[in-house]
Amino acid sequence: MAGCAARAPPGSEARLSLAAFLLGASVLALPLLTRAGLQGRTGLALYVAGLNALLLLLYRPPRYQIAVRACFLGFVFGCGVLLSFSQSSWNHFGWYMCSLSLFHYSEYLVTAVNNPKSLSLDSFLLNHSLEYTVAALSSWIEFTLENIFWPELKQITWLSATGLLMVVFGECLRKAAMFTAGSNFNHVVQNEKSETHTLVTSGVYAWFRHPSYVGWFYWSIGTQVMLCNPICGVGYALTVWRFFRDRTEEEEISLIHFFGEEYLEYKKRVPTGLPFIKGVKVEL
């Protein structure tokens, strides 16, 4: 995993990333600059160049690497807000931009606060996998093509609002799971039990065995409902279902190895929370 070369003081990465995210989100002030005489594209290019120059002046690697990612996500969030309030057929894509950027940034921020020992640049999940990147690009292409040829399909507000509610629910559930698990949460399935690793069964873990996966499951499908993407909506549902089916089985093998009968009893009481996924089968 890519990470920082030297460990900074506790909490410094969280503060650094938050400052950079807010700096990027300051693109919300760009309409004021265009009213002052700057052309839209010229003003945007100068703004981006100015942000990067400022980050280079303020931070050296590896802190610059954290800052530039957080700033980029803040910039996308700010652009998403501006697009959300635009009078165009792209306003629901603005909702998506806000949701996507906030998801990736909050993954890093919560990890920095909650479990700094496992923190790395990978905690942004920007390089999650090739499949994840292809899925995102596919959804952007579908939205663009359908918006050109069938623009009325992208203006079903009640459907986009339903997708937004799914996204908010999924995001809140996943972050609640991360905070509840504390230092037990890790973006990578652990094959060896650490001395501090405990079985968490309280809070949202009393509802579902895998609340972070449940949250991500509904978040990812919700993004496509929000975009009114029928093809990617079906594709995402099938793909993420299969991914989390395999992921839960892989993780539960390790958890049974770590906690034995304690986890088996927990497994009997609490469902996975994912539709039609029961987890690893245990032969008695």
Side-chain angles (χ1 to χ4, degrees):
M1 294 177 67
C4 299
R7 179 57 58 194
S12 63
E13 290 100 337
R15 292 190 293 271
L16 163 64
S17 68
L18 182 58
F21 181 86
L22 293 175
L23 180 63
S26 66
V27 71
L28 287 166
L30 191 61
L32 298 177
L33 298 178
T34 56
R35 290 188 195 129
L38 280 175
Q39 294 295 324
R41 292 182 180 178
T42 302
L44 185 62
L46 290 174
Y47 198 85
V48 170
L51 286 178
N52 190 52
L54 180 60
L55 293 177
L56 286 169
L57 286 173
L58 292 175
Y59 306 111
R60 295 179 179 274
R63 291 172 67 79
Y64 169 77
Q65 295 170 337
I66 298 171
V68 74
R69 286 164 173 78
C71 187
F72 166 73
L73 291 171
F75 179 80
V76 173
F77 179 83
C79 289
V81 172
L82 293 176
L83 194 57
S84 297
F85 288 97
S86 67
Q87 300 299 317
S88 75
S89 59
W90 286 82
N91 61 327
H92 292 156
F93 196 83
W95 296 8
Y96 169 82
M97 290 172 65
C98 292
S99 303
L100 186 66
S101 57
L102 194 60
F103 170 80
H104 283 283
Y105 173 65
S106 62
E107 289 289 308
Y108 183 89
L109 180 63
V110 173
T111 304
V113 172
N114 218 32
N115 190 15
K117 288 184 179 180
S118 70
L119 186 69
S120 75
L121 292 177
D122 286 345
S123 299
F124 283 108
L125 298 185
L126 291 171
N127 57 340
H128 181 271
S129 65
L130 176 61
E131 293 80 4
Y132 184 85
T133 302
V134 170
L137 289 173
S138 299
S139 71
W140 305 346
I141 292 170
E142 180 182 353
F143 183 90
T144 301
L145 292 176
E146 290 172 353
N147 195 36
I148 292 172
F149 295 106
W150 303 284
E152 64 279 1
L153 179 64
K154 301 305 178 184
Q155 294 303 307
I156 308 175
T157 303
W158 69 265
L159 186 59
S160 292
T162 301
L164 180 60
L165 289 174
M166 292 174 66
V167 164
V168 172
F169 167 76
E171 177 77 19
C172 290
L173 179 60
R174 180 168 172 84
K175 294 311 179 287
M178 293 175 71
F179 276 118
T180 303
S183 62
N184 295 289
F185 185 91
N186 199 300
H187 284 119
V188 179
V189 174
Q190 302 297 293
N191 295 316
E192 294 183 8
K193 183 183 177 183
S194 67
E195 294 181 359
T196 60
H197 198 169
T198 59
L199 179 61
V200 181
T201 60
S202 60
V204 290
Y205 286 87
W207 306 343
F208 312 120
R209 293 204 307 275
H210 301 280
S212 67
Y213 295 165
V214 176
W216 201 351
F217 178 83
Y218 287 106
W219 177 90
S220 62
I221 298 173
T223 61
Q224 299 312 298
V225 176
M226 182 194 304
L227 292 176
C228 300
N229 278 353
I231 298 173
C232 282
V234 174
Y236 268 51
L238 295 174
T239 302
V240 297
W241 184 88
R242 185 173 59 182
F243 172 80
F244 285 122
R245 179 199 62 189
D246 297 341
R247 181 78 172 226
T248 54
E249 291 182 358
E250 177 189 0
E251 184 169 309
E252 289 192 343
I253 290 172
S254 294
L255 290 170
I256 291 170
H257 176 69
F258 294 166
F259 302 107
E261 192 64 31
E262 184 184 5
Y263 187 79
L264 291 175
E265 287 298 320
Y266 172 62
K267 187 175 185 296
K268 291 178 183 177
R269 298 194 315 268
V270 180
T272 63
L274 294 159
F276 309 109
I277 295 178
K278 295 183 177 180
V280 68
K281 294 181 179 179
V282 180
E283 297 293 337
L284 298 177

